[in-house]
Amino acid sequence: MAEGRRGCLIIIGGHEDRDPGGERKILREVARHVRGGKLVLATVASHKPEGYFDEYERAFEDLGIGDLVELYVEDRNEAGDREKLQVLDDAAGIFFSGGDQLRITSQIGDTGIEAKVRALYERGGVVAGTSAGASVMSDTMLVKGTSKETHRIGDLHMSPGLGLIRDVIIDQHFAERGRFGRLLGAVAHNPRVLGIGIDENTAAMVEGDRLKVIGEGAVYVVDGTGVSYSNVAEAKSDITLSMHDVTVHILAEGDSFDLKDRRPIPGSG
Amino acid sequence: MAEGRRGCLIIIGGHEDRDPGGERKILREVARHVRGGKLVLATVASHKPEGYFDEYERAFEDLGIGDLVELYVEDRNEAGDREKLQVLDDAAGIFFSGGDQLRITSQIGDTGIEAKVRALYERGGVVAGTSAGASVMSDTMLVKGTSKETHRIGDLHMSPGLGLIRDVIIDQHFAERGRFGRLLGAVAHNPRVLGIGIDENTAAMVEGDRLKVIGEGAVYVVDGTGVSYSNVAEAKSDITLSMHDVTVHILAEGDSFDLKDRRPIPGSG
């Protein structure tokens, strides 16, 4: 699971505190990992990126980032532009803001930018993302699926993500949007995949095989290893999911999780 | 767990199909258990019971109920009235409609009516309830707790219920209102208690130690037996719940659950 994983992923469940007068615990952690270097703010998930950069610029202003630079790709054919690519060469980190995860992968997937992001990560850089920017980190990502109801087989759209972390599937705005049902549905499809549901203003920080929680809410880990029965392979697409013996961990700030052994580690409290 | 449990409980997650032209699967099941006898519709959970009876009368009209009679208690001192009590003497079942679960327990708890409901159940009758009427069935019931967020320690109000089923805690409108967090919170308080979350238009039917699912959504069973760590006893009341190694079963129509052995039994599919 760990191969090629060198830097740090900061996977944020959306609505992280960005108030210049606030604690900004998660952005502070991003800045700490950037260590005074250059952070690229990738607003590519948004159709209308105006305002995002200004907001993050204010939020990061006194957190010790050396340089904050926007990267936006209007069309896929811009994703090979030399100047866009050069932005990433000396970056210490990249931060994917929210929007539509399919815009990220469809615009930069299999382009020079994606390769540069991977290179940044492999040389020890930080890749952070919030909301849509969180979802794209895994090899398979959740694109669409009804919130606030129990999963119906067939009502879930998954798609290839950036693949910076393997064998997990990430959902965000988790408790706030009642997404437990759809994450269970995703895990039912293939219990090899660990479900990671992240609440708002909460982040899962991944370094090596260790995931650590910071922020206000919780990170839910859904482990299907022990599942004794599931009806996910049944023919009808509108039947209700049935899945027995799922293991769930609710992790709060300070708690960790060993992704290799699939074991939670209590925080100091 | 089974002592004194003689009849059938039909515990409904709210918004069951009541359309006279619809399938009315759950009400049909209630009627089947009443076997042409008398069903008492207890609207006591509501501050304004007007209209409930008419709606259920239309819904049950062609389902083979012998007699449908309303029972309403405006004030607690009415709960000893001879005529109110007599209504239950020859009833084959009682159905608690929705509203406020505290109204049910505060108006009829420890009164002649409560004793008659218990007697009805113990002589083999059916006790059905939807929404608030579902919550009151357990010995400890959920009264209040924030939906759509991860449980904060201290943000949960529980209260003594009617105690027709022991060692469980019931939540309703489950996936629809994003209540996974609060049910996990309730189970964290004492893992002896099994959490049962019921979706709308879905019912858990309990006979003896066997729970069976009917309806459109799912019944979630949250089993804290294997919990390896929880921070629920920590001092601060606003910290986020952390709980490791919870077992969850998502049960769809046809699935059963053995309440004594705490084991799910797959349906025929």
Side-chain angles (χ1 to χ4, degrees):
Chain A
M1 207 165 180
E3 69 246 72
R5 212 198 292 158
R6 303 267 175 76
C8 175
L9 302 178
I10 302 183
I11 315 171
I12 310 165
H15 285 310
E16 71 283 359
D17 177 12
R18 297 195 277 271
D19 177 0
E23 194 185 3
R24 292 165 292 163
K25 191 179 264 185
I26 295 168
L27 298 188
R28 202 174 290 273
E29 196 63 29
V30 172
R32 195 175 69 79
H33 278 81
V34 170
R35 293 183 194 152
K38 173 176 162 185
L39 178 66
V40 175
L41 186 79
T43 54
V44 58
S46 179
H47 289 278
K48 291 186 176 171
E50 296 80 13
Y52 275 88
F53 183 74
D54 292 348
E55 189 178 354
Y56 276 103
E57 197 173 37
R58 279 193 301 273
F60 276 117
E61 194 168 21
D62 58 348
L63 297 183
I65 297 282
D67 193 11
L68 186 71
V69 185
E70 183 170 10
L71 174 65
Y72 186 67
V73 179
E74 176 75 42
D75 289 309
R76 184 174 167 85
N77 56 27
E78 290 174 24
D81 287 2
R82 182 186 293 257
E83 59 179 307
K84 302 245 179 215
L85 290 171
Q86 278 176 345
V87 165
L88 287 160
D89 281 339
D90 57 348
I94 185 165
F95 187 109
F96 287 95
S97 56
D100 178 353
Q101 44 266 55
L102 265 187
R103 250 197 70 85
I104 302 178
T105 57
S106 63
Q107 299 307 304
I108 72 166
D110 198 36
T111 68
I113 291 180
E114 190 190 22
K116 293 267 183 187
V117 171
R118 198 175 308 279
L120 162 67
Y121 183 50
E122 293 190 354
R123 70 174 180 264
V126 50
V127 181
T130 187
S131 194
S135 288
V136 292
M137 298 220 184
S138 55
D139 39 3
T140 303
M141 68 179 182
L142 265 171
V143 177
K144 217 173 75 179
T146 313
S147 299
K148 288 195 223 162
E149 65 173 51
T150 292
H151 177 60
R152 300 307 163 104
I153 302 193
D155 172 48
L156 205 58
H157 300 265
M158 291 186 269
S159 174
L162 297 183
L164 298 171
I165 176 168
R166 296 180 59 184
D167 296 334
V168 308
I169 198 147
I170 295 159
D171 210 353
Q172 9 82 7
H173 303 282
F174 192 67
E176 292 79 7
R177 298 197 185 163
R179 287 179 162 175
F180 198 72
R182 78 180 207 180
L183 188 61
L184 286 166
V187 170
H189 281 72
N190 189 342
R192 186 198 79 223
V193 166
L194 200 68
I196 299 181
I198 308 175
D199 285 351
E200 293 178 357
N201 198 21
T202 308
M205 295 192 357
V206 178
E207 289 184 270
D209 287 319
R210 186 63 65 96
L211 178 156
K212 193 169 178 184
V213 177
I214 59 165
E216 194 183 9
V219 171
Y220 291 76
V221 176
V222 176
D223 183 354
T225 308
V227 164
S228 59
Y229 168 80
S230 137
N231 66 351
V232 79
E234 287 184 25
K236 286 186 290 179
S237 71
D238 62 341
I239 67 168
T240 301
L241 176 70
S242 164
M243 184 161 58
H244 303 170
D245 292 293
V246 184
T247 301
V248 174
H249 310 286
I250 306 102
L251 309 175
E253 185 166 83
D255 284 348
S256 298
F257 192 81
D258 185 316
L259 292 164
K260 194 157 163 247
D261 298 339
R262 295 196 165 193
R263 288 302 306 156
I265 301 141
S268 48
Chain B
M1 206 163 181
E3 69 247 71
R5 210 198 293 157
R6 304 267 176 75
C8 174
L9 301 177
I10 302 182
I11 314 171
I12 310 165
H15 285 309
E16 72 283 0
D17 177 13
R18 297 195 276 271
D19 176 359
E23 193 184 4
R24 292 164 291 163
K25 193 180 265 186
I26 295 168
L27 298 187
R28 201 174 290 273
E29 196 65 27
V30 173
R32 196 175 69 79
H33 277 80
V34 170
R35 291 183 197 153
K38 174 175 161 184
L39 178 66
V40 175
L41 186 80
T43 54
V44 59
S46 180
H47 289 277
K48 291 187 175 171
E50 296 79 16
Y52 276 88
F53 183 74
D54 292 348
E55 189 178 355
Y56 277 103
E57 197 174 35
R58 277 193 300 274
F60 276 117
E61 194 168 19
D62 58 348
L63 298 183
I65 298 280
D67 194 10
L68 187 72
V69 185
E70 183 170 10
L71 174 65
Y72 185 68
V73 179
E74 176 76 42
D75 289 309
R76 183 174 169 82
N77 56 27
E78 290 175 24
D81 287 1
R82 181 186 293 257
E83 58 179 308
K84 303 245 179 214
L85 290 171
Q86 279 178 344
V87 165
L88 286 160
D89 282 338
D90 57 349
I94 186 165
F95 187 109
F96 287 94
S97 56
D100 178 352
Q101 44 265 53
L102 266 186
R103 250 197 70 83
I104 301 178
T105 58
S106 63
Q107 298 307 304
I108 73 165
D110 198 36
T111 68
I113 290 180
E114 190 191 22
K116 292 270 184 185
V117 171
R118 198 176 309 279
L120 162 67
Y121 182 50
E122 293 190 354
R123 70 174 181 262
V126 50
V127 181
T130 187
S131 194
S135 288
V136 293
M137 299 218 183
S138 55
D139 39 2
T140 303
M141 67 179 183
L142 264 171
V143 177
K144 217 173 75 178
T146 314
S147 299
K148 288 196 222 160
E149 65 174 50
T150 293
H151 177 62
R152 300 305 164 106
I153 301 192
D155 172 47
L156 205 60
H157 300 264
M158 292 186 268
S159 175
L162 298 181
L164 298 171
I165 176 169
R166 295 181 60 185
D167 296 334
V168 307
I169 199 148
I170 294 160
D171 209 352
Q172 10 79 9
H173 302 282
F174 192 67
E176 293 80 5
R177 298 196 185 164
R179 287 178 161 175
F180 198 72
R182 76 182 211 180
L183 188 62
L184 286 166
V187 170
H189 281 72
N190 189 341
R192 186 199 78 225
V193 165
L194 200 68
I196 299 181
I198 308 176
D199 285 351
E200 292 178 357
N201 199 21
T202 308
M205 296 192 357
V206 178
E207 288 183 270
D209 288 319
R210 186 64 64 96
L211 178 157
K212 191 168 180 185
V213 178
I214 59 164
E216 194 183 10
V219 171
Y220 291 75
V221 176
V222 176
D223 183 355
T225 307
V227 164
S228 59
Y229 169 79
S230 135
N231 66 350
V232 79
E234 287 183 24
K236 288 187 290 179
S237 71
D238 61 341
I239 66 168
T240 300
L241 177 69
S242 165
M243 184 162 57
H244 303 171
D245 292 294
V246 185
T247 301
V248 175
H249 310 286
I250 306 102
L251 310 175
E253 184 165 83
D255 284 349
S256 298
F257 192 81
D258 186 315
L259 291 163
K260 194 155 165 253
D261 298 338
R262 295 195 165 193
R263 288 302 307 155
I265 301 141
S268 48

